[in-house]
PDB file of all heavy atoms in Angstrom:
ATOM      1  N   ILE A  82      45.692 183.881 -67.594  1.00 92.00           N
ATOM      2  CA  ILE A  82      47.018 183.261 -67.722  1.00 92.00           C
ATOM      3  C   ILE A  82      47.838 184.145 -68.644  1.00 92.00           C
ATOM      4  O   ILE A  82      47.413 184.462 -69.747  1.00 92.00           O
ATOM      5  CB  ILE A  82      46.905 181.838 -68.302  1.00 92.00           C
ATOM      6  CG1 ILE A  82      46.049 180.970 -67.374  1.00 92.00           C
ATOM      7  CG2 ILE A  82      48.284 181.217 -68.487  1.00 92.00           C
ATOM      8  CD1 ILE A  82      45.575 179.688 -68.000  1.00 92.00           C
ATOM      9  N   GLY A  84      49.855 185.506 -71.409  1.00 68.00           N
ATOM     10  CA  GLY A  84      49.955 184.896 -72.730  1.00 68.00           C
ATOM     11  C   GLY A  84      51.335 184.857 -73.336  1.00 68.00           C
ATOM     12  O   GLY A  84      51.576 184.104 -74.256  1.00 68.00           O
ATOM     13  N   LYS A  90      50.769 177.602 -71.997  1.00 84.00           N
ATOM     14  CA  LYS A  90      50.011 176.390 -72.336  1.00 84.00           C
ATOM     15  C   LYS A  90      50.161 175.329 -71.252  1.00 84.00           C
ATOM     16  O   LYS A  90      49.222 174.585 -70.972  1.00 84.00           O
ATOM     17  CB  LYS A  90      50.474 175.841 -73.684  1.00 84.00           C
ATOM     18  CG  LYS A  90      49.964 176.671 -74.854  1.00 84.00           C
ATOM     19  CD  LYS A  90      50.438 176.114 -76.179  1.00 84.00           C
ATOM     20  CE  LYS A  90      49.962 176.997 -77.332  1.00 84.00           C
ATOM     21  NZ  LYS A  90      50.555 176.575 -78.611  1.00 84.00           N
ATOM     22  N   LEU A  93      47.893 176.290 -68.376  1.00 90.00           N
ATOM     23  CA  LEU A  93      46.511 175.993 -68.749  1.00 90.00           C
ATOM     24  C   LEU A  93      46.244 174.488 -68.629  1.00 90.00           C
ATOM     25  O   LEU A  93      45.221 174.055 -68.093  1.00 90.00           O
ATOM     26  CB  LEU A  93      46.244 176.486 -70.177  1.00 90.00           C
ATOM     27  CG  LEU A  93      44.827 176.291 -70.723  1.00 90.00           C
ATOM     28  CD1 LEU A  93      43.811 177.009 -69.849  1.00 90.00           C
ATOM     29  CD2 LEU A  93      44.724 176.793 -72.158  1.00 90.00           C
ATOM     30  N   LEU A 120      36.282 182.432 -70.214  1.00 95.00           N
ATOM     31  CA  LEU A 120      35.538 183.545 -70.805  1.00 95.00           C
ATOM     32  C   LEU A 120      35.435 183.272 -72.302  1.00 95.00           C
ATOM     33  O   LEU A 120      36.464 183.132 -72.986  1.00 95.00           O
ATOM     34  CB  LEU A 120      36.267 184.872 -70.560  1.00 95.00           C
ATOM     35  CG  LEU A 120      36.391 185.336 -69.104  1.00 95.00           C
ATOM     36  CD1 LEU A 120      37.174 186.641 -69.026  1.00 95.00           C
ATOM     37  CD2 LEU A 120      35.031 185.516 -68.465  1.00 95.00           C
ATOM     38  N   TRP A 122      34.855 184.929 -74.902  1.00 96.00           N
ATOM     39  CA  TRP A 122      35.376 185.878 -75.895  1.00 96.00           C
ATOM     40  C   TRP A 122      36.883 186.104 -75.788  1.00 96.00           C
ATOM     41  O   TRP A 122      37.468 186.784 -76.629  1.00 96.00           O
ATOM     42  CB  TRP A 122      34.654 187.226 -75.758  1.00 96.00           C
ATOM     43  CG  TRP A 122      34.534 187.708 -74.336  1.00 96.00           C
ATOM     44  CD1 TRP A 122      33.491 187.493 -73.489  1.00 96.00           C
ATOM     45  CD2 TRP A 122      35.506 188.462 -73.601  1.00 96.00           C
ATOM     46  NE1 TRP A 122      33.746 188.075 -72.261  1.00 96.00           N
ATOM     47  CE2 TRP A 122      34.966 188.679 -72.307  1.00 96.00           C
ATOM     48  CE3 TRP A 122      36.756 188.983 -73.907  1.00 96.00           C
ATOM     49  CZ2 TRP A 122      35.645 189.401 -71.322  1.00 96.00           C
ATOM     50  CZ3 TRP A 122      37.436 189.687 -72.927  1.00 96.00           C
ATOM     51  CH2 TRP A 122      36.877 189.884 -71.652  1.00 96.00           C
ATOM     52  N   TYR A 123      37.525 185.539 -74.744  1.00 95.00           N
ATOM     53  CA  TYR A 123      38.973 185.767 -74.598  1.00 95.00           C
ATOM     54  C   TYR A 123      39.740 184.708 -75.383  1.00 95.00           C
ATOM     55  O   TYR A 123      39.449 183.520 -75.272  1.00 95.00           O
ATOM     56  CB  TYR A 123      39.396 185.729 -73.124  1.00 95.00           C
ATOM     57  CG  TYR A 123      40.708 186.452 -72.894  1.00 95.00           C
ATOM     58  CD1 TYR A 123      40.731 187.780 -72.514  1.00 95.00           C
ATOM     59  CD2 TYR A 123      41.930 185.807 -73.099  1.00 95.00           C
ATOM     60  CE1 TYR A 123      41.934 188.454 -72.333  1.00 95.00           C
ATOM     61  CE2 TYR A 123      43.133 186.467 -72.927  1.00 95.00           C
ATOM     62  CZ  TYR A 123      43.129 187.790 -72.540  1.00 95.00           C
ATOM     63  OH  TYR A 123      44.327 188.463 -72.383  1.00 95.00           O
ATOM     64  N   PRO A 124      40.721 185.122 -76.202  1.00 92.00           N
ATOM     65  CA  PRO A 124      41.425 184.168 -77.078  1.00 92.00           C
ATOM     66  C   PRO A 124      42.117 183.030 -76.324  1.00 92.00           C
ATOM     67  O   PRO A 124      42.649 183.222 -75.238  1.00 92.00           O
ATOM     68  CB  PRO A 124      42.466 185.049 -77.799  1.00 92.00           C
ATOM     69  CG  PRO A 124      41.975 186.454 -77.639  1.00 92.00           C
ATOM     70  CD  PRO A 124      41.209 186.500 -76.363  1.00 92.00           C
ATOM     71  N   GLU A 125      42.075 181.860 -76.918  1.00 90.00           N
ATOM     72  CA  GLU A 125      42.845 180.679 -76.504  1.00 90.00           C
ATOM     73  C   GLU A 125      42.581 180.194 -75.074  1.00 90.00           C
ATOM     74  O   GLU A 125      43.447 179.604 -74.447  1.00 90.00           O
ATOM     75  CB  GLU A 125      44.349 180.931 -76.696  1.00 90.00           C
ATOM     76  CG  GLU A 125      44.732 181.199 -78.136  1.00 90.00           C
ATOM     77  CD  GLU A 125      46.226 181.448 -78.287  1.00 90.00           C
ATOM     78  OE1 GLU A 125      47.004 180.640 -77.749  1.00 90.00           O
ATOM     79  OE2 GLU A 125      46.595 182.445 -78.927  1.00 90.00           O
ATOM     80  N   GLU A 126      41.392 180.477 -74.557  1.00 92.00           N
ATOM     81  CA  GLU A 126      41.013 180.022 -73.202  1.00 92.00           C
ATOM     82  C   GLU A 126      41.999 180.482 -72.132  1.00 92.00           C
ATOM     83  O   GLU A 126      42.263 179.784 -71.145  1.00 92.00           O
ATOM     84  CB  GLU A 126      40.909 178.481 -73.149  1.00 92.00           C
ATOM     85  CG  GLU A 126      39.665 177.929 -73.799  1.00 92.00           C
ATOM     86  CD  GLU A 126      39.424 176.458 -73.432  1.00 92.00           C
ATOM     87  OE1 GLU A 126      40.373 175.756 -73.040  1.00 92.00           O
ATOM     88  OE2 GLU A 126      38.272 176.014 -73.545  1.00 92.00           O
ATOM     89  N   LEU A 127      42.550 181.679 -72.306  1.00 93.00           N
ATOM     90  CA  LEU A 127      43.551 182.166 -71.350  1.00 93.00           C
ATOM     91  C   LEU A 127      42.945 183.000 -70.226  1.00 93.00           C
ATOM     92  O   LEU A 127      43.672 183.550 -69.395  1.00 93.00           O
ATOM     93  CB  LEU A 127      44.644 182.964 -72.081  1.00 93.00           C
ATOM     94  CG  LEU A 127      45.567 182.135 -72.978  1.00 93.00           C
ATOM     95  CD1 LEU A 127      46.541 183.013 -73.727  1.00 93.00           C
ATOM     96  CD2 LEU A 127      46.322 181.083 -72.173  1.00 93.00           C
ATOM     97  N   ALA A 128      41.611 183.125 -70.185  1.00 95.00           N
ATOM     98  CA  ALA A 128      40.953 183.853 -69.090  1.00 95.00           C
ATOM     99  C   ALA A 128      39.780 183.024 -68.569  1.00 95.00           C
ATOM    100  O   ALA A 128      39.005 182.466 -69.345  1.00 95.00           O
ATOM    101  CB  ALA A 128      40.477 185.218 -69.577  1.00 95.00           C
ATOM    102  N   TRP A 129      39.640 182.965 -67.233  1.00 94.00           N
ATOM    103  CA  TRP A 129      38.631 182.133 -66.582  1.00 94.00           C
ATOM    104  C   TRP A 129      37.924 182.912 -65.486  1.00 94.00           C
ATOM    105  O   TRP A 129      38.495 183.824 -64.898  1.00 94.00           O
ATOM    106  CB  TRP A 129      39.298 180.892 -65.964  1.00 94.00           C
ATOM    107  CG  TRP A 129      39.889 179.979 -66.998  1.00 94.00           C
ATOM    108  CD1 TRP A 129      40.995 180.219 -67.771  1.00 94.00           C
ATOM    109  CD2 TRP A 129      39.406 178.696 -67.391  1.00 94.00           C
ATOM    110  NE1 TRP A 129      41.227 179.157 -68.619  1.00 94.00           N
ATOM    111  CE2 TRP A 129      40.263 178.203 -68.403  1.00 94.00           C
ATOM    112  CE3 TRP A 129      38.332 177.900 -66.993  1.00 94.00           C
ATOM    113  CZ2 TRP A 129      40.083 176.971 -69.008  1.00 94.00           C
ATOM    114  CZ3 TRP A 129      38.151 176.669 -67.590  1.00 94.00           C
ATOM    115  CH2 TRP A 129      39.011 176.209 -68.590  1.00 94.00           C
TER     116      TRP A 129
END
Side-chain angles (χ1 to χ4, degrees):
I82 300 165
K90 285 180 182 173
L93 182 59
L120 295 178
W122 46 267
Y123 201 94
E125 299 180 49
E126 285 194 338
L127 291 176
W129 295 70

